[in-house]
Amino acid sequence: MSGVLAGADGLPRCPWALSTQDYVEYHDTEWGRAVRGDDALYERLCLEAFQSGLSWLTILRRRAGFRTAFSDFKIAAVAEFDERDAERLLADEGIIRNRAKIEATLANAKVLAGWEPGELDTLIWSHVPEEPGPAPRAVTEVPAITPESTALSKALKKAGIRFVGPTTAYALMQACGLVNDHLAACASRDAA
């Protein structure tokens, strides 16, 4: 699984995208495309944290459940959640029921609710690499951590955001289009 592979439709894609239709759709329509706005970035930040230690497919298949459970990731709404909500979430089979991840999601909303509109967007997008690296030709050329993801992780942690290490920060950067890690020959590379 190093270079691009042809999907059932003949389009060349990053090989990780071909194992399920869920991945094909996510790869072709979302991954690597710019995500802007505080609530949208908060959702991605939360989902990346929930993914830690799990398959992204697990998160994709429960995304509707996450959105329902967390009020569509509206920062202002989640910031109002209390201990009863935390207990409700721990019992919700539609999400990943991990106490530390749930508590981080709620705590992060409380922190972000005190920020100016657009501040999360500005902070995250200020970590776009100054020079994009060369297009990777194989998945082995795609890093898990970069200096920019380490800096983003540190900036978010300094601001009080929890559960966002350098690897999670880099996955966020990939998913939200701060970097383009579609392989060089991937049909989605130029669309990202």
Side-chain angles (χ1 to χ4, degrees):
M1 278 198 7
S2 58
V4 296
L5 297 173
D9 57 4
L11 287 178
R13 291 185 177 87
C14 301
W16 62 264
L18 296 175
S19 63
T20 71
Q21 188 59 36
D22 294 317
Y23 272 157
V24 170
E25 289 173 19
Y26 175 70
H27 171 272
D28 289 359
T29 63
E30 291 185 61
W31 192 73
R33 297 183 189 227
V35 174
R36 300 304 298 248
D38 293 344
D39 290 336
L41 288 166
Y42 170 67
E43 174 181 6
R44 296 296 181 89
L45 183 66
C46 294
L47 294 178
E48 293 294 347
F50 273 102
Q51 185 272 329
S52 182
L54 301 170
S55 158
W56 182 245
L57 186 60
T58 301
I59 303 305
L60 278 179
R61 290 183 172 165
R62 293 183 184 202
R63 189 158 50 171
F66 275 109
R67 285 176 172 163
T68 299
F70 289 100
S71 299
D72 288 322
F73 291 98
K74 302 292 184 208
I75 294 169
V78 180
E80 296 297 321
F81 283 21
D82 59 19
E83 186 56 38
R84 286 186 311 266
D85 292 298
E87 292 305 316
R88 170 185 57 81
L89 293 165
L90 283 167
D92 189 333
E93 293 181 6
I95 67 169
I96 305 303
R97 296 174 292 170
N98 177 295
R99 182 176 295 276
K101 293 175 182 182
I102 290 170
E103 288 176 355
T105 299
L106 303 186
N108 290 345
K110 289 180 187 338
V111 168
L112 294 171
W115 289 20
E116 293 296 320
E119 194 171 348
L120 178 62
D121 187 290
T122 299
L123 174 67
I124 289 174
W125 279 90
S126 72
H127 288 82
V128 173
E130 287 184 30
E131 292 292 326
R137 298 193 176 285
V139 293
T140 55
E141 296 175 14
V142 177
I145 296 173
T146 63
E148 293 86 4
S149 75
T150 300
L152 175 57
S153 172
K154 286 179 182 178
L156 288 166
K157 286 179 181 180
K158 184 177 180 182
I161 303 301
R162 296 170 28 190
F163 230 103
V164 59
T167 303
T168 298
Y170 193 68
L172 176 73
M173 293 171 74
Q174 290 174 304
C176 295
L178 280 75
V179 296
N180 184 351
D181 279 342
H182 284 283
L183 299 184
C186 176
S188 293
R189 179 151 182 91
D190 291 335

